Amino acid sequence: MSHDTTRLNRERNHFAGHEAIWLFGYGSLIWKAGFPYLERRPAHIHGWVRRFWQGSHDHRGTQAAPGRVATLVREPEAVCHGMAYRITPEVLAPLDVREKNGYLREVTTLCFDDELGGSTQGLVYLAGADNAAYLGEAPLDAIAEQIAASHGPSGPNRDYLVNLAAALRELEVEDEHVFALAARLPPAD
Ligand code: SIN
């Protein structure tokens, strides 16, 4: 698979004809929407864990020195909490570009965490183990070291991790992996 998934995603028209689509965000899409949305509600999905196993050559690193960002990894009993956005279909085109480094639009069932509750089908951008930018598992110390050292067009890789950890704390979500990585970052310069 090439690094750039933009074209592949344009063909993944899972909700063609719908006036609005729910999108589940679990990484930068939690703390940096950067796109217009109709509604925003905390939510979770079943069967996935958040892991810093995806390489970032375009946002938080470079081709020569990729950073690490979040993707989802299958774990049948797990629950991954994040933020759901109700968007109009035209919002997907710029999102496809933002998520082009290996992420594919996938359909998921998302369950809302607010007092209204309920569940619905929606989209999630998922970078699977078969994508060209996938870095995979590594010791937490090594991942934290790579994040601390990386920098890309969107800024320091550490900001991605620190902002995600802060957003999860605000949502009162426990995420051992993210918090363990954030705790390993050396102090900022
Ligand atoms: C997401 O946040 O849902 C996808 C990964 C990212 O953009 O960080």
Side-chain angles (χ1 to χ4, degrees), residues 35-75:
F35 53 85
Y37 53 85
L38 305 167
E39 230 179 309
R40 178 184 194 260
R41 295 172 67 187
H44 65 270
I45 59 174
H46 287 271
W48 298 95
V49 285
R50 185 177 6 244
R51 292 288 179 263
F52 273 76
W53 291 4
Q54 177 66 4
S56 180
H57 304 75
D58 55 345
H59 284 296
R60 301 287 167 175
T62 61
Q63 287 299 331
R68 274 185 180 256
V69 289
T71 186
L72 296 175
V73 175
R74 259 268 175 244
E75 203 176 289

Side-chain angles (χ1 to χ4, degrees), residues 24-31 69-71 98-99 103 124-125 160:
F24 179 76
Y26 56 88
S28 72
L29 295 182
I30 298 182
W31 55 270
V69 289
T71 186
R98 170 170 165 176
E99 304 295 330
Y103 294 85
V124 61
Y125 282 91
Y160 180 109

Side-chain angles (χ1 to χ4, degrees), residues 75-159:
E75 203 176 289
E77 301 305 317
V79 171
C80 179
H81 290 269
M83 189 59 76
Y85 301 88
R86 197 161 67 86
I87 57 172
T88 52
E90 61 272 15
V91 173
L92 289 174
L95 276 173
D96 289 344
V97 175
R98 170 170 165 176
E99 304 295 330
K100 69 183 188 310
N101 199 39
Y103 294 85
L104 288 176
R105 297 182 196 172
E106 302 287 353
V107 175
T108 189
T109 300
L110 49 104
C111 308
F112 297 107
D113 289 332
D114 56 15
E115 61 285 351
L116 290 173
S119 63
T120 189
Q121 293 288 101
L123 286 178
V124 61
Y125 282 91
L126 183 70
D130 60 347
N131 85 84
Y134 196 75
L135 296 178
E137 189 168 8
L140 287 174
D141 286 334
I143 295 181
E145 212 171 289
Q146 185 174 356
I147 290 172
S150 300
H151 197 292
S154 298
N157 201 173
R158 66 175 293 130
D159 288 0

